[in-house]
Every structure is written in C-alpha cells, then in structure tokens.
Amino acid sequence: MQPQKTTEEKIKEVARKIFMEKGYGLTRTRDIAEAAGINTALLNYYFRSKEKLFNIIIAESIKELFSTLLDIIENDKTDLSYKIDTVVNRYADVFLASPNLPLFVLSELQSQPELFFKQVGIPGNILLDSYFFRQLEEQLQKINLKIEPIHIFVNMIALTILPVIARPIMNHVHSMDSDGFSNFIEVRRKLVPIWIKDMLKLNN
Amino acid sequence: MQPQKTTEEKIKEVARKIFMEKGYGLTRTRDIAEAAGINTALLNYYFRSKEKLFNIIIAESIKELFSTLLDIIENDKTDLSYKIDTVVNRYADVFLASPNLPLFVLSELQSQPELFFKQVGIPGNILLDSYFFRQLEEQLQKINLKIEPIHIFVNMIALTILPVIARPIMNHVHSMDSDGFSNFIEVRRKLVPIWIKDMLKLNN
DNA sequence: GTCTATAGACTGATAGAC
DNA sequence: GTCTATCAGTCTATAGAC
C-alpha cells in the first residue's frame, strides 16, 4: 500500500506539470488549484504565493537536471569511457521520463537567469574543476588535439538533448508518434557514446 | 541615408525583442508600447491585439530559422562537404545576430505545435526528401554505416545550436561575457563541420 | 486545513478628442 | 496617426467562517 499523497505533495505534482507545459507567465494559480482538486486559498496557505511555489518547482527541476551529472563527473574511480556511457544513459532515462524538463529549465533560465544563482547554489566552477574534465584534458593531450574539454562536454550533452528539445519539429519532419520518439532516443543512447569516443579517439 | 522606420516597423522590432526575452505570457503590451515610444492604443491601432502581433512575430521567427536551411539542402549542385560547411556557418551567423531566436521558437513550438503547420507551411517531408538527405544516405552506404541520415542532420544542428540555447548555463559554468560567447561560437564554427565530416568519414 | 467571498492590482483593449 | 482617459475582465492574494 502506497502512503497517501498529502495535499501539499499533490499541489506540487500538478504545479510541476502545468508550469512545464505553459511556463510561469501563462500558468494561473486557478489552473493548478483546480487540477489539484482544491482552491487558490489553500494553495496560498501552503506556498504563500505563485512565485514561491514556482521557485520551489524550478529549483527542484534544475537540481533534477544537474544532480544526474554531478555524482558521475566527480567520481575518480571510473574511466572516461564509462563516464561517457553513464552520462548519456542517465540523461536518456531522465528525458524519456520527463520530455518537457530540459526545455522548461532552459526557457526559464533564459528569461530569469538569476534563478540559477538564487535557487540552486551550484558553484560555477564545479564542472571545470571536475575529475571528468581532467580526464578529458588528459585524453585530448594524448591525441594531440588542441581544443578545450568543454567542447567535448557540450557535444555530449548536445547530441543527447537536442532530439528531446526539438521533439515538436521531429514529430513534424519525421512523422513520429510517441513510440517513434522513444525509439529514436533508444537508438541514440547507443550511438552518442560512440560518436563522442570517436572524437576522443578512444577505442570502443 | 537610411529610410526612416515607420511606426509599424518600430513596434514590430521592439515587440520581437521583448517577446524573445520574456515570452508571450510575461510580455505586457505596455512594455512594448513604451519601448517603441508610443502607447497601447496605437499598438492596437496597428495590430488589433497582442495575440495578432505575436503571431506575426513568431511566424517570421520560424521562417527566419528554417529558410536559412531550405535553399542550402535542396541544392543539387553542391557536394556534401560544402553543404555541411554552409549550414553550420549560416546558423552561426543567425545565432550571433539573434541569440534568443532558437529557444524562443522551440519553446513556442512546444506549447503550440500547430503553429508549425498554420504559420509556416513547410511540408513535413521537405527534409527527408531533400537532395542533402540523399547525399547523406549515399555516403553512409559508401562507408557501410547503417544509421538513418536524420541522425547526422540532428547532430549537425545539435552541435551548432546547443551553446546558444544553453547560454545562461554557459555563462554560469564558464564565466563568459558576451565576447566569450562570440568567441565560443567562432571556435565551434570551425570545429563542428570537422566533427560531422569525421562521422561521415569524409576527407577534409 | 479547507472553504467562500471579495479585495486590490494589473492588463488588454477601446472610445473619443485632436 | 496619435494621444488621454478609462472600462471591463482577469488574476493573485487574503479575510474570515467553519
């Protein structure tokens, strides 16, 4: 038997869904209240204001998107190849479960960049100082490729995330249903690590 | 001597900028009017409503993003290597001039996918049936790589567009000012075609 | 904790003068 | 074409009863 959802959890759950679909500006507290089976008074009883509720949702979303990464890239026990496989696979899982998550976070960060600093508290240098980046740098030197590690990292994320972000266009130009989308992600789950390792001349 | 901007053009110009920064929901007609040096009455005199003005802006934005592509990929006089160079370079130019354009369009297409059909009229199969895709298919067969051409196309767009879409995060983790951003794009303008050609085993 | 009712502020749009 | 003034509608948030 699952424990019953509290009203507070129910509100957060539907708020997350509606904020992701419509964005902050187009979401009305009434929509959230109605979808949660309550009223706006109760919503404000729990969260004080729409903005405070949104800040909780967006902070959790940002953390969901980045915590996926952090424990992988800071691990000094795993090699480069394993890290590439794991990052791509974890993100594929996250995106299949929450296809709207990346565009939601990116859009809100664009219109309110200060959210990143205020709500998350991930230091800016955590990526550049990571063990993963040191491993990338080492490998790039080994194959005598004079580019910054960030480019390889950007490539890995780009190849994984773009089909998710551009899903409406993919649906249009590739006539995809939701199964087609999942299949596409599954195919790329295998391909992206190969491409990234090729860029690094890592033997597969 | 440049011809003077009409009021109508001035409104569209600032509306485009503000819609792109804040999105439809958070943009107020008063913001647009003030930025254009007029008032909301005049805005409605020219465009009837906020929504009609927005539809004009988003339709033009979608066209700007895709017309860049269409005349390149349908050309049967240019080879694969040239097409890759040209697509990447054109998009780099577009994104440097309008960094908010891609995320704006992608966000709006997610919340209103029918915009693609209604406002643009680009048939879904124009990409799959393009000369570019036939050239990709040919080359993939030649190197005996059993993947669909769409993956290479997605990769090319992904590697070019992601730093632009994730600019707020890039600023944060890479301590970039606007010069840093331009430099980053300039570096990738050269790198992305190399990576894509490597995937296709095209000799550079 | 949850509701009804409503205050209070803001927004898009228009009427009407010039 | 452009303005001032303002209306009607919508939204968030709160007061107060239960």
Side-chain angles (χ1 to χ4, degrees):
Chain A
M1 219 34 185
Q2 289 283 356
Q4 231 172 282
K5 282 197 185 73
T6 65
T7 303
E8 190 173 350
E9 284 163 349
K10 180 70 182 165
I11 295 171
K12 272 177 62 174
E13 184 186 308
V14 301
R16 189 185 135 101
K17 185 170 177 296
I18 298 177
F19 276 136
M20 278 195 191
E21 278 167 11
K22 309 213 227 183
Y24 179 80
L26 287 176
T27 298
R28 295 171 309 162
T29 52
R30 278 164 186 180
D31 295 336
I32 298 172
E34 194 186 349
I38 51 135
N39 51 60
T40 63
L42 200 53
L43 190 151
N44 282 289
Y45 168 76
Y46 279 110
F47 297 99
R48 291 283 301 163
S49 73
K50 174 188 177 183
E51 197 184 353
K52 284 191 168 55
L53 171 57
F54 178 78
N55 283 342
I56 292 170
I57 304 291
I58 188 76
E60 287 184 2
S61 300
I62 293 175
K63 273 175 192 148
E64 187 179 345
L65 213 49
F66 288 90
S67 64
T68 300
L69 204 59
L70 296 186
D71 62 322
I72 302 171
I73 65 171
E74 288 182 326
N75 192 330
D76 61 358
K77 304 278 189 297
T78 58
D79 66 11
L80 205 45
S81 178
Y82 178 87
K83 283 194 175 68
I84 292 166
D85 290 337
T86 311
V87 169
V88 172
N89 273 293
R90 286 255 196 104
Y91 270 124
D93 291 339
V94 171
F95 297 155
L96 281 173
S98 309
N100 292 338
L101 179 65
L103 196 52
F104 171 64
V105 169
L106 289 169
S107 297
E108 295 301 333
L109 283 181
Q110 179 160 68
S111 51
Q112 305 179 56
E114 71 280 4
L115 273 176
F116 213 98
F117 299 85
K118 280 202 316 198
Q119 295 294 328
V120 188
I122 296 173
N125 53 355
I126 199 160
L127 200 60
L128 301 178
D129 291 348
S130 69
Y131 195 75
F132 181 47
F133 266 54
R134 251 171 289 160
Q135 287 173 307
L136 281 175
E137 203 146 36
E138 203 174 277
Q139 178 65 16
L140 288 169
Q141 276 181 6
K142 198 166 156 188
I143 62 173
N144 201 31
L145 195 52
K146 288 178 181 37
I147 62 174
E148 290 179 79
I150 183 86
H151 286 289
I152 303 296
F153 178 78
V154 165
N155 291 358
M156 183 174 64
I157 303 300
L159 297 180
T160 308
I161 214 172
L162 189 94
V164 183
I165 286 175
R167 194 164 37 115
I169 299 174
M170 301 285 298
N171 287 346
H172 187 239
V173 301
H174 214 240
S175 309
M176 271 182 188
D177 52 14
S178 75
D179 264 13
F181 174 71
S182 306
N183 291 338
F184 199 82
I185 301 297
E186 290 303 335
V187 171
R188 292 184 69 87
R189 191 202 283 271
K190 283 157 198 150
L191 288 173
V192 171
I194 296 174
W195 286 317
I196 298 298
K197 290 173 194 175
D198 280 350
M199 290 176 192
L200 291 165
K201 293 192 170 53
L202 282 173
N203 38 351
N204 290 292
Chain B
M1 231 8 198
Q2 290 284 356
Q4 229 171 284
K5 282 196 186 71
T6 65
T7 302
E8 190 173 350
E9 284 163 349
K10 179 72 182 164
I11 294 172
K12 272 178 61 176
E13 183 186 310
V14 302
R16 189 185 134 102
K17 185 168 177 297
I18 297 176
F19 277 136
M20 279 193 190
E21 278 168 10
K22 309 215 231 181
Y24 179 79
L26 288 175
T27 298
R28 296 172 309 165
T29 53
R30 284 174 161 84
D31 294 336
I32 298 172
E34 194 186 349
I38 52 137
N39 51 60
T40 63
L42 200 54
L43 189 152
N44 281 291
Y45 168 76
Y46 279 109
F47 296 98
R48 292 279 301 161
S49 74
K50 176 188 176 184
E51 197 183 353
K52 283 192 169 53
L53 172 57
F54 179 77
N55 282 341
I56 292 170
I57 304 290
I58 188 75
E60 287 184 2
S61 299
I62 294 175
K63 274 176 192 147
E64 187 179 344
L65 211 50
F66 289 89
S67 64
T68 301
L69 203 59
L70 296 186
D71 60 321
I72 301 171
I73 64 170
E74 288 182 326
N75 192 331
D76 61 359
K77 304 277 191 295
T78 59
D79 66 12
L80 206 43
S81 177
Y82 178 87
K83 282 193 176 68
I84 293 165
D85 290 337
T86 311
V87 169
V88 172
N89 273 292
R90 285 256 195 103
Y91 270 125
D93 291 340
V94 171
F95 298 156
L96 282 173
S98 308
N100 293 337
L101 178 64
L103 195 52
F104 173 64
V105 169
L106 288 170
S107 297
E108 288 303 327
L109 283 182
Q110 180 158 68
S111 52
Q112 302 178 56
E114 71 279 6
L115 272 175
F116 214 99
F117 299 83
K118 281 201 320 199
Q119 296 293 330
V120 187
I122 297 173
N125 54 353
I126 198 160
L127 200 59
L128 300 178
D129 291 348
S130 68
Y131 195 76
F132 181 47
F133 265 53
R134 251 170 290 161
Q135 288 174 306
L136 281 175
E137 203 146 36
E138 202 174 279
Q139 178 65 17
L140 288 169
Q141 275 181 6
K142 198 166 156 186
I143 62 172
N144 201 31
L145 195 53
K146 286 176 182 37
I147 62 174
E148 290 178 80
I150 183 87
H151 286 289
I152 303 297
F153 178 77
V154 165
N155 291 358
M156 183 174 64
I157 302 299
L159 297 180
T160 308
I161 215 172
L162 188 95
V164 183
I165 286 175
R167 193 165 39 115
I169 299 174
M170 301 284 298
N171 287 346
H172 187 240
V173 301
H174 214 240
S175 308
M176 271 182 187
D177 52 14
S178 75
D179 264 13
F181 174 72
S182 305
N183 291 339
F184 198 82
I185 300 297
E186 290 303 336
V187 172
R188 292 183 70 87
R189 190 201 285 270
K190 282 156 199 150
L191 288 173
V192 172
I194 296 174
W195 286 316
I196 298 297
K197 290 174 194 175
D198 279 350
M199 290 176 192
L200 292 166
K201 293 193 169 56
L202 281 172
N203 39 350
N204 290 292

